[in-house]
């Protein structure tokens, strides 16, 4: 009776804490929503209201604390999971909460251009190689009466929410020991696939595909356990239909990552065949439904869809050329190392910030695999052991492509495959942590253990949260695009002299051209100077001497803050920006406070 009274008291305390946590979360979200970003903010985290961080910080602490101390499988623990997940998701959704006009100055702008072409009817989804993200954004835009920019940002949040939901479901499918769900949720909240090199928090179909991977894996686990006795239509089961649709969806999200999954399906089918032919017929994998039909369908549709796309053929040629020419692997990383050293950072520092927690999960996943191989994997059922084997195989194609693209020195493409692998490592690492905690004892009866584990995950989350979005913390500018910046480019394009080319600071205006005219429109493909870059030496000394013909140079507040503030004049100096308004032959022809357009006319110089 005393124990029951204690449990009831603990439940009341937990409920009171959860109320406080949800109120703190609501207060933080309101603080962010009522403090919109009115101009470009290079420091993503520092510019966010302090009340937001206090609110989600308290919510996260309460959620994690209650999650590890509450009685298992109760609504109190479920509420704690919801609280923690909502707190972290609000950080991911900050660009939406703070009313950013758009988020993502690179690929995301090109994808915005495709969304606008979808809405205008100038591009059909079937003519694109990966139309799914753009189609979702178009549905949200037209159905919800949202601006295309906001619809695309919201689409990104939706995919993150799917990842956070299905990672713990995958973990619980493998092991139901101890705190499987809470560890699975917290592991998903770390968003280990995000590295801000090849996988991003912006509209980036590769990244959205990786966020979708746990859904396919969860359905795969359910499919192989279901022998088709229930919910079947002939030889087709409901979960089989869902698995097939999810696999096809990855192909429409991004063929590059879908190929990783196709490779996983093939290897799992081979494993099932091997066990059926050479191993004990009583082995759990032999009690699984065969994946042959799903693999055959996936392979057929992939071969029908992908090879017809010109971009795919170009990519194959580029990778083959890179392997034959034997470029130095890791050139992109080496270049960034030099820049980091100039800015006072180091590769080691960046590794800890971006991959420190990932390394811990890799080690955990490795120990789990070793335990499986030596037959010492406890607290995992027979089906779970089979699922672990499937996940190991699922990571092999991505690992192989990572090495292939690294050897071919394919820019930062190999980090995309690393991100895919980390989606699988997240699940395996969470299983390893769950088993380890369960071996140490019942969290509910060991307060010291509960507090210790809670603090460890709090530290993990803080480290990861700081690297979710680009910021000076990781020597990157914010991905925010202010309204004045976007409208400045649009006005410049409307009022330009068509024969005069453009040139940009660090990069040409190609992405804005794509967003405004449509990525694959004729105007975008023939736009004069869309990829031209202002020479650094000329910008900092004699700009007019670098051009023989009139040239437009757009300059934004974001350019100045990035080059002078963050990058400490590494390429473009403050003097260069100042001389734009003083040099003969350089005229400012447009300005809105956040965007200035200069026209360089060599004929107006004294020489």
């Amino acid at each position: 009776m005393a124990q029951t009274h204690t449990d009831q008291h603990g439940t009341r305390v937990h409920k009171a804490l959860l109320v406080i946590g949800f109120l703190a979360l609501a207060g933080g979200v309101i603080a962010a929503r009522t403090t919109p970003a009115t101009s470009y903010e290079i420091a993503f985290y520092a510019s966010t209201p302090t009340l937001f961080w206090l609110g989600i910080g308290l919510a996260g602490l309460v959620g994690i604390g209650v999650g590890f101390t509450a009685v298992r499988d109760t609504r109190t623990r479920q509420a704690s999971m919801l609280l923690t997940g909502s707190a972290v998701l609000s950080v991911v959704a900050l660009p939406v909460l703070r009313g950013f006009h758009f988020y993502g100055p690179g690929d995301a702008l090109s994808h915005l251009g495709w969304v606008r072409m979808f809405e205008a009817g100038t591009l059909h989804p079937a003519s694109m190689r990966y139309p799914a993200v753009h189609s979702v954004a178009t549905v949200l835009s037209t159905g919800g009466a949202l601006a295309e920019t906001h619809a695309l940002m919201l689409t990104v949040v939706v995919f993150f929410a799917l990842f956070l939901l299905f990672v713990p479901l995958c973990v619980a499918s493998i092991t139901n020991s101890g705190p499987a769900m809470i560890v699975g949720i917290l592991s998903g909240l770390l968003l280990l696939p995000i590295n801000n090199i090849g996988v991003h928090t912006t509209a980036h179909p590769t990244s959205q595909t990786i966020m979708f991977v746990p859904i396919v894996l969860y359905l795969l686990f359910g499919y192989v356990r279901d022998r088709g006795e229930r919910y079947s239509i002939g030889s087709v089961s409901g979960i089989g239909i869902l698995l097939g649709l999810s696999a096809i969806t990855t192909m429409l999200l991004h063929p590059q990552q879908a190929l990783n999954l196709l490779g996983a399906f093939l290897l799992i089918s081979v494993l099932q065949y091997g066990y059926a032919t050479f191993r004990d017929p009583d082995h759990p994998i032999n009690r699984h439904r065969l994946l042959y039909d799903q693999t055959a369908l996936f392979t057929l549709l992939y071969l029908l869809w992908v090879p017809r796309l010109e971009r795919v053929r170009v990519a194959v040629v580029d990778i083959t050329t890179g392997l034959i020419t034997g470029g130095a692997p890791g050139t992109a990383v080496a270049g960034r190392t030099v820049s980091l050293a100039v800015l006072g950072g180091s590769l080691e520092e960046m590794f800890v910030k971006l991959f420190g927690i990932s390394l811990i999960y890799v080690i955990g996943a490795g120990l789990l695999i070793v335990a499986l191989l030596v037959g010492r994997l406890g607290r995992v059922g027979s089906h779970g052991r089979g699922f672990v084997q499937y996940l190991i195989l699922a990571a092999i194609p991505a690992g192989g492509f990572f090495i292939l693209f690294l050897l071919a020195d394919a820019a930062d493409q190999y980090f995309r495959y690393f991100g895919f692998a980390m989606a699988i490592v997240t699940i395996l690492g969470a299983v390893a942590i769950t088993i380890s905690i369960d071996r140490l004892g019942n969290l509910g009866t060991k307060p010291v253990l509960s507090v210790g584990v809670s603090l460890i995950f709090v530290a993990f989350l803080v480290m990861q949260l700081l690297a979710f979005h680009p910021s000076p913390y990781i020597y990157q500018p914010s991905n925010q695009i202010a309204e004045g910046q976007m409208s400045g480019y649009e006005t410049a394009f409307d009022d330009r002299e068509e024969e005069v080319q453009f040139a940009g600071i660090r990069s040409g205006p190609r992405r804005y051209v794509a967003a405004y005219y449509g990525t694959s429109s004729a105007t975008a493909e023939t736009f004069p100077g869309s990829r031209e870059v202002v020479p650094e030496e000329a910008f900092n000394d004699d700009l007019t001497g670098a051009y023989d013909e009139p040239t437009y140079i757009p300059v934004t507040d974001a350019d100045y803050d990035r080059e002078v503030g963050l990058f400490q004049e590494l390429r473009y100096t403050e003097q260069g920006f100042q001389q734009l308004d003083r040099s003969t032959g350089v005229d400012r022809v447009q300005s809105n406070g956040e965007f200035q357009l200069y026209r360089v006319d060599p004929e107006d110089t004294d020489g």
Side-chain angles (χ1 to χ4, degrees), residues 273-274 301 320 448 580:
Y273 176 79
L301 293 177
T320 304
V448 174
L580 288 171

PDB file of all heavy atoms in Angstrom, residues 273-274 301 320 448 580:
ATOM      1  N   TYR A 273      17.020 -15.591 -48.844  1.00  0.00           N
ATOM      2  CA  TYR A 273      17.263 -16.771 -49.684  1.00  0.00           C
ATOM      3  C   TYR A 273      18.359 -17.640 -49.089  1.00  0.00           C
ATOM      4  O   TYR A 273      18.252 -18.876 -49.068  1.00  0.00           O
ATOM      5  CB  TYR A 273      17.648 -16.326 -51.091  1.00  0.00           C
ATOM      6  CG  TYR A 273      18.016 -17.482 -52.000  1.00  0.00           C
ATOM      7  CD1 TYR A 273      17.024 -18.259 -52.597  1.00  0.00           C
ATOM      8  CD2 TYR A 273      19.346 -17.808 -52.245  1.00  0.00           C
ATOM      9  CE1 TYR A 273      17.357 -19.332 -53.419  1.00  0.00           C
ATOM     10  CE2 TYR A 273      19.694 -18.873 -53.060  1.00  0.00           C
ATOM     11  CZ  TYR A 273      18.692 -19.631 -53.641  1.00  0.00           C
ATOM     12  OH  TYR A 273      19.021 -20.707 -54.450  1.00  0.00           O
ATOM     13  N   GLY A 274      19.416 -16.989 -48.591  1.00  0.00           N
ATOM     14  CA  GLY A 274      20.518 -17.743 -47.997  1.00  0.00           C
ATOM     15  C   GLY A 274      20.077 -18.528 -46.775  1.00  0.00           C
ATOM     16  O   GLY A 274      20.443 -19.706 -46.619  1.00  0.00           O
ATOM     17  N   LEU A 301      10.113  -0.665 -61.239  1.00  0.00           N
ATOM     18  CA  LEU A 301       9.676   0.728 -61.326  1.00  0.00           C
ATOM     19  C   LEU A 301      10.868   1.684 -61.314  1.00  0.00           C
ATOM     20  O   LEU A 301      10.851   2.705 -62.012  1.00  0.00           O
ATOM     21  CB  LEU A 301       8.729   1.050 -60.175  1.00  0.00           C
ATOM     22  CG  LEU A 301       7.383   0.319 -60.214  1.00  0.00           C
ATOM     23  CD1 LEU A 301       6.554   0.651 -58.989  1.00  0.00           C
ATOM     24  CD2 LEU A 301       6.618   0.666 -61.482  1.00  0.00           C
ATOM     25  N   THR A 320      32.037   8.547 -62.982  1.00  0.00           N
ATOM     26  CA  THR A 320      32.986   7.682 -63.687  1.00  0.00           C
ATOM     27  C   THR A 320      34.236   8.459 -64.080  1.00  0.00           C
ATOM     28  O   THR A 320      35.364   7.985 -63.917  1.00  0.00           O
ATOM     29  CB  THR A 320      32.329   7.092 -64.947  1.00  0.00           C
ATOM     30  OG1 THR A 320      31.135   6.391 -64.574  1.00  0.00           O
ATOM     31  CG2 THR A 320      33.279   6.130 -65.646  1.00  0.00           C
ATOM     32  N   VAL A 448      19.000   7.475  -9.164  1.00  0.00           N
ATOM     33  CA  VAL A 448      20.319   7.951  -9.598  1.00  0.00           C
ATOM     34  C   VAL A 448      20.545   7.613 -11.068  1.00  0.00           C
ATOM     35  O   VAL A 448      21.037   8.442 -11.848  1.00  0.00           O
ATOM     36  CB  VAL A 448      21.432   7.340  -8.724  1.00  0.00           C
ATOM     37  CG1 VAL A 448      22.800   7.727  -9.280  1.00  0.00           C
ATOM     38  CG2 VAL A 448      21.288   7.792  -7.283  1.00  0.00           C
ATOM     39  N   LEU A 580      32.052  50.731 -53.448  1.00  0.00           N
ATOM     40  CA  LEU A 580      30.991  50.617 -54.437  1.00  0.00           C
ATOM     41  C   LEU A 580      30.278  51.952 -54.651  1.00  0.00           C
ATOM     42  O   LEU A 580      29.859  52.271 -55.770  1.00  0.00           O
ATOM     43  CB  LEU A 580      29.975  49.550 -54.009  1.00  0.00           C
ATOM     44  CG  LEU A 580      30.441  48.089 -54.091  1.00  0.00           C
ATOM     45  CD1 LEU A 580      29.419  47.174 -53.434  1.00  0.00           C
ATOM     46  CD2 LEU A 580      30.680  47.669 -55.528  1.00  0.00           C
TER      47      LEU A 580
END
